[in-house]
Amino acid sequence: MTMNLFSQTDPTNSLEWTWFIANKYSSMFIQGTYLTLYTAVIGTLVGFLLGYLIGVIQDMKVNPGDNALKKVTVRLLKTVSGAYVEIFRDTPMIVQAMIIYYGLRQANVEMTPVFAGILVTVLNTGAYMAETVRAGIGSIDIGQREGAYAMGMSPMKTMIYIVLPQAFKNIIPEMANTFLTNLKMTSVLNVIAVQELFMAAKTAGGNYYKYFESYLVIALIYFVLCFIFNKLFIFIEKGMQGSEDYALAVEYMDNQ
Amino acid sequence: MSETILSIQDLGKSFGNHEVLRKIDIDVKKGEVICIVGSSGSGKSTLLRCINKLEKQTRGKILYHDEEVTDVQSHINDYRSKVGMVFQSFNLFNNMTVLGNCMLCTRKVLHISKEEAFDRAITHLKEVGMAPYINAKPSMLSGGQKQRVAIARALCMNPEILLFDEPTSALDPEMVGEVLTVMKELATTGLTMMIVTHEMAFARDVSTRTIFMDNGYVAEDAAPEILFTNPKNERTREFLSRYLAG
């Protein structure tokens, strides 16, 4: 019965064709899944780092008493990072991929499509994350910072020990969102010949003129991946909330 | 005469066109407990925030041991580590336990060892009666408990002078009592303090000197027994009579 429905050799309907293509090109789809994950994970993680860096730079302030070098450096960093965020947020990722890959090739910088793909993902993620981090920093009430400043903590130390850990926690949902978006957005990297899932579907579908069935296969893979990661992130987020209980340190109780 | 720690000279602060502090001259000597009273908007909190450089003054200067506190960040950090501050809204670090709150700045600013930072934290937490709560996060504490932790945290830095910016204004009457008790005890240890408060009875009891601020000026600066019983300034009299009438 099952064998009839999912004929391996002689597919007659869409369902059978989907099954047929998934089987026939299984290694290509697995390779595509791997590359999609690889690009998305590396690109997102490095992009997050970049986003944090830019977010912190955007939050920097100069004192009137600071020396000229510091003033100039901070202003320059802010201008450059501001321009970067603006450019990458205001252009489509697919266009960025083309411009970066072919632009760098024209400038005789050799790179593999995968490397270029990761680079584009990093730059794109960084720009969006910078804004998210800025909002996350803003979500921490200024009082906590003042509390730290008032005890002689430098703005940078305050950022590292007090603001960022809390901002991080607040923007976890947004970070999860960004990762899921990236996982799906890697599909546009097929334009610079990254052999990810979309490319796999395009190739497989092209061989039999069965595009619908072929893309159905990767739609399912994307869905399963995103579904699993989504559940994982919710689990992590819950784990980070921590316990509401605490043990009294009885050794310091007064026994009056 | 004991030495002058802080000398505030001709201090002025404006927010845009609004002049909050007009001309403040105050010298703070070692061991003094100065309470600053006055109606809301008279510039009391702004004065303390200027002293701690959380606000930049628009005029005048602050001398710390005869040396002007400049606007260079490292200099400000250094100065602040010796001038502690307790806030109306506690401003504890929410991502850390009570112990973490008390150890962070001694470790990262004064660079003392973990053991010493721990000992200091426990010593001062005991002083304020919060040592059993070292493992609690700020969100699990009541307002009065938070403020006592904030005081212990400030004390861990061994400040030369401690500024209190309306430390009991966000507390209910019961919690006000527990915080004031801690502060009264501190006043007896010889710690130099500047306290902005609306607790008149407390100000009268603990201060060695009381300042009445009005409209950005120091209207009256006298010993509490004089200021509270026989004020020279008309505004002081008016303010106090309204307060005593309830």
Side-chain angles (χ1 to χ4, degrees):
Chain A
M1 180 69 185
T2 323
M3 289 308 285
N4 277 344
L5 200 61
F6 297 115
S7 173
Q8 292 287 314
T9 49
D10 186 22
T12 52
N13 58 30
S14 277
L15 209 59
E16 284 177 12
W17 269 109
T18 309
W19 184 249
F20 174 80
I21 287 174
N23 268 310
K24 172 125 191 190
Y25 297 103
S26 61
S27 66
M28 202 163 80
F29 284 123
I30 289 170
Q31 177 66 17
T33 307
Y34 168 74
L35 259 185
T36 290
L37 273 175
Y38 181 78
T39 314
V41 169
I42 308 262
T44 308
L45 287 181
V46 181
F48 280 172
L49 288 181
L50 183 66
Y52 271 94
L53 189 71
I54 304 282
V56 170
I57 287 174
Q58 305 272 36
D59 189 74
M60 280 183 170
K61 282 175 191 68
V62 283
N63 267 321
D66 288 334
N67 62 37
L69 182 69
K70 189 179 167 191
K71 280 181 186 166
V72 171
T73 315
V74 170
R75 283 205 189 113
L76 192 71
L77 279 174
K78 276 187 154 179
T79 311
V80 171
S81 59
Y84 152 70
V85 169
E86 212 44 57
I87 289 169
F88 275 83
R89 271 162 52 101
D90 298 352
T91 50
M93 184 164 156
I94 193 165
V95 176
Q96 293 163 13
M98 297 298 258
I99 288 180
I100 287 177
Y101 184 60
Y102 291 107
L104 285 175
R105 277 172 78 99
Q106 244 171 37
N108 284 326
V109 181
E110 275 304 315
M111 63 170 90
T112 64
V114 175
F115 183 85
I118 291 176
L119 185 65
V120 172
T121 311
V122 165
L123 291 173
N124 207 277
T125 309
Y128 279 95
M129 267 303 284
E131 287 299 292
T132 307
V133 169
R134 206 168 58 88
I137 289 172
S139 74
I140 308 305
D141 67 306
I142 192 77
Q144 291 191 52
R145 290 208 216 187
E146 290 189 340
Y149 294 161
M151 288 194 290
M153 291 273 278
S154 69
M156 201 36 87
K157 280 182 187 165
T158 305
M159 186 56 80
I160 292 169
Y161 294 106
I162 292 150
V163 180
L164 282 187
Q166 294 180 66
F168 179 82
K169 231 167 135 177
N170 288 355
I171 61 177
I172 286 179
E174 192 48 43
M175 285 164 68
N177 231 340
T178 304
F179 176 71
L180 294 185
T181 304
N182 278 348
L183 200 59
K184 289 171 285 183
M185 281 303 278
T186 51
S187 58
V188 307
L189 296 175
N190 79 87
V191 298
I192 54 168
V194 178
Q195 307 277 336
E196 41 64 63
L197 272 174
F198 191 90
M199 187 70 141
K202 207 157 111 180
T203 314
N207 287 349
Y208 286 91
Y209 294 107
K210 288 288 172 193
Y211 289 108
F212 169 70
E213 290 78 3
S214 178
Y215 285 113
L216 209 56
V217 172
I218 64 163
L220 194 68
I221 297 176
Y222 279 123
F223 180 84
V224 170
L225 287 180
C226 287
F227 188 84
I228 292 172
F229 275 108
N230 208 356
K231 291 281 171 267
L232 184 73
F233 292 140
I234 290 172
F235 181 73
I236 292 173
E237 207 189 318
K238 281 204 176 127
M240 286 204 52
Q241 272 164 2
S243 157
E244 284 295 306
D245 302 325
Y246 60 93
L248 280 177
V250 283
E251 62 269 36
Y252 300 119
M253 296 277 256
D254 298 328
N255 296 314
Q256 288 157 353
Chain B
M1 215 58 199
S2 58
E3 62 175 318
T4 302
I5 298 175
L6 276 180
S7 180
I8 298 147
Q9 298 179 352
D10 189 30
L11 196 76
K13 170 74 187 173
S14 309
F15 292 103
N17 287 329
H18 182 48
E19 212 176 357
V20 182
L21 298 178
R22 291 170 200 271
K23 184 185 183 327
I24 307 285
D25 291 278
I26 301 172
D27 279 354
V28 183
K29 295 199 170 59
K30 200 172 164 56
E32 278 191 310
V33 177
I34 302 175
C35 280
I36 304 172
V37 299
S39 48
S40 297
S42 58
K44 310 179 300 293
S45 290
T46 308
L47 172 62
L48 277 206
R49 291 173 60 81
C50 278
I51 293 177
N52 207 314
K53 287 276 176 186
L54 289 172
E55 303 286 353
K56 274 180 200 77
Q57 73 263 31
T58 34
R59 200 187 60 223
K61 51 189 174 181
I62 294 160
L63 302 187
Y64 174 70
H65 288 290
D66 297 328
E67 198 185 321
E68 187 176 351
V69 184
T70 64
D71 277 336
V72 179
Q73 187 67 53
S74 58
H75 190 180
I76 295 177
N77 295 346
D78 209 35
Y79 162 75
R80 281 176 176 157
S81 71
K82 293 163 197 150
V83 179
M85 184 147 176
V86 174
F87 299 83
Q88 180 179 348
S89 48
F90 329 123
N91 295 354
L92 294 178
F93 311 139
N94 290 334
N95 57 329
M96 293 177 192
T97 62
V98 165
L99 186 65
N101 265 279
C102 290
M103 286 175 66
L104 179 75
C105 296
T106 45
R107 296 273 291 134
K108 301 299 171 194
V109 177
L110 303 180
H111 303 289
I112 64 176
S113 72
K114 209 171 179 174
E115 292 72 27
E116 202 192 332
F118 179 80
D119 287 344
R120 269 196 203 185
I122 294 295
T123 307
H124 294 299
L125 283 169
K126 274 183 178 164
E127 261 176 69
V128 300
M130 286 300 292
Y133 297 88
I134 48 174
N135 298 320
K137 286 273 183 75
S139 60
M140 306 160 187
L141 302 175
S142 73
Q145 290 176 322
K146 282 185 202 173
Q147 196 57 295
R148 286 189 280 150
V149 171
I151 293 173
R153 180 178 74 173
L155 289 173
C156 286
M157 299 292 288
N158 284 344
E160 225 187 317
I161 172 168
L162 198 46
L163 312 173
F164 292 83
D165 184 11
E166 301 197 24
T168 59
S169 296
L171 303 175
D172 71 40
E174 234 172 292
M175 292 177 185
V176 168
E178 66 184 59
V179 172
L180 291 186
T181 308
V182 165
M183 289 171 64
K184 272 181 194 162
E185 264 165 46
L186 275 180
T188 63
T189 62
L191 179 71
T192 314
M193 305 201 276
M194 274 182 107
I195 307 164
V196 169
T197 183
H198 289 294
E199 301 289 330
M200 294 303 145
F202 168 80
R204 194 178 50 211
D205 292 347
V206 305
S207 67
T208 60
R209 189 176 148 199
T210 310
I211 289 172
F212 174 72
M213 277 186 70
D214 182 45
N215 205 14
Y217 289 107
V218 172
E220 195 156 356
D221 181 347
E225 48 272 22
I226 295 172
L227 192 130
F228 282 101
T229 54
N230 188 18
K232 304 236 165 352
N233 187 294
E234 183 56 35
R235 273 293 293 136
T236 320
R237 213 169 302 158
E238 214 179 306
F239 175 78
L240 287 176
S241 67
R242 206 173 306 153
Y243 241 93
L244 297 176

